[in-house]
Amino acid sequence: MDRKPVTIGKLFKMKAEGQKISMITAYDYPSAVLCDRAGVDMILVGDSLGMVMLGHQSTVPVTMDDMLLHIKSVRRGLKAAFLVGDMPYMSYSISLEQALTNATRIMQEGGCDMIKLEGGAEVAPAVKAITDAGIPVCGHIGLTPQSVAMLGGYKVQGKDLAGAQKMIDDAKALQEAGASCLVMECVPSALAEAITKAVDMVTIGIGGGPGCDGQVLVLHDILGLSLRKTPKMAKLYADVAGQIQGAVEQYVSDVSNHSFPAPENGFAMDESIVEQLKL
């Protein structure tokens, strides 16, 4: 039986009823189809595609065109999951007009249900401009990869009193600006839980502990396809990378030793036609 499409209303209902929300970060059509079939509530096309799919060292090189290419691919694979598209580096920081223009592109061209952007109180004006235009927004606080150079590396945020208070203030500023959802990345579990209880937004944790309304992980991390050590905040559910490499190694061997293609992998031709060919 097909699922009904997940809506913002359903996400808020799940929060109110204490039902945990599942979110996966995915980047292409086949991944989207499989995640949707598996029953995932939300899919994020994150700018992490810069590292996972494009081989960059950070998310900074990712462009709007990169994002839209992958968002469109994922959109075509979904029937029910709620689709969130990332705003890439500097696509919403220059002016409110720029922020609104790019958010519109992600919704209109990409077919998203919501856009996501990184930052706290400093991006609240952009969040307000976007939500005032009728575009749902998901915030992102804690470890914000686009600002990793300013944060001093990939590390847990909000561990001291000042950092924790700033995160609480940022969450409230985003909510006041109109954000509906909030991703909290690499945040102490107790702080993430406290913020979840303090705001009406749907909170999604990645390294934020069990107290958030939902959880998000990168598909490639849980499948062992990211070609890196599984992050502490993730869990390896399958070593697909090993299976893929093994399968390709077997293919290379079969071609090399003439066992592929076999007769059943080819197509026959009428012998009388073969005889008439001048070969």
Side-chain angles (χ1 to χ4, degrees), residues 1-34:
M1 183 177 177
D2 290 339
R3 292 191 295 155
K4 292 182 179 179
V6 177
T7 63
I8 292 179
K10 179 177 179 180
L11 296 175
F12 277 114
K13 186 173 185 290
M14 291 177 73
K15 176 185 176 79
E17 296 178 353
Q19 298 179 47
K20 294 299 184 180
I21 297 164
S22 59
M23 186 187 219
I24 283 284
T25 299
Y27 314 100
D28 56 34
Y29 174 81
S31 297
V33 170
L34 295 174

Side-chain angles (χ1 to χ4, degrees), residues 263-275:
E264 61 267 23
N265 303 120
F267 303 92
M269 187 176 187
D270 191 289
E271 292 186 6
S272 64
I273 297 178
V274 174
E275 292 174 358

Side-chain angles (χ1 to χ4, degrees), residues 53-210:
M53 301 295 288
L54 304 181
H56 295 303
Q57 294 301 308
S58 73
T59 63
V60 171
V62 179
T63 66
M64 279 293 297
D65 287 341
D66 291 332
M67 290 306 308
L68 285 168
L69 175 67
H70 288 269
I71 289 170
K72 290 176 183 179
S73 176
V74 169
R75 174 77 274 171
R76 289 189 286 268
L78 300 184
K79 291 185 177 180
F82 189 89
L83 179 59
V84 182
D86 245 346
M87 298 274 281
Y89 180 71
M90 292 301 290
S91 65
Y92 52 92
S93 304
I94 296 173
S95 68
L96 297 184
E97 181 179 1
Q98 178 218 29
L100 186 54
T101 297
N102 286 327
T104 300
R105 288 193 67 194
I106 289 178
M107 296 292 287
Q108 190 174 50
E109 298 177 36
C112 282
D113 299 303
M114 176 179 283
I115 65 98
K116 183 177 81 65
L117 49 73
E118 295 181 8
E122 70 277 7
V123 300
V127 172
K128 187 175 189 308
I130 294 168
T131 56
D132 282 351
I135 298 174
V137 171
C138 176
H140 184 157
I141 60 175
L143 173 58
T144 48
Q146 292 176 14
S147 306
V148 71
M150 293 287 289
L151 298 175
Y154 295 92
K155 56 187 181 181
V156 177
Q157 302 295 308
K159 294 178 71 174
D160 59 17
L161 180 60
Q165 186 60 57
K166 182 182 185 308
M167 206 169 298
I168 292 170
D169 294 342
D170 283 341
K172 291 180 177 179
L174 291 170
Q175 176 167 280
E176 187 175 345
S180 303
C181 293
L182 180 67
V183 168
M184 292 187 282
E185 182 171 355
C186 289
V187 176
S189 299
L191 176 58
E193 183 174 1
I195 291 174
T196 297
K197 292 177 179 178
V199 300
D200 296 325
M201 295 179 290
V202 172
T203 64
I204 306 293
I206 176 166

Side-chain angles (χ1 to χ4, degrees), residues 219-241:
L219 179 65
H220 291 64
D221 283 343
I222 71 173
L223 297 181
L225 284 172
S226 61
L227 307 181
R228 62 173 178 171
K229 181 181 178 181
T230 303
K232 176 180 174 62
M233 59 194 176
K235 178 180 178 180
L236 185 66
Y237 284 85
D239 180 16
V240 177

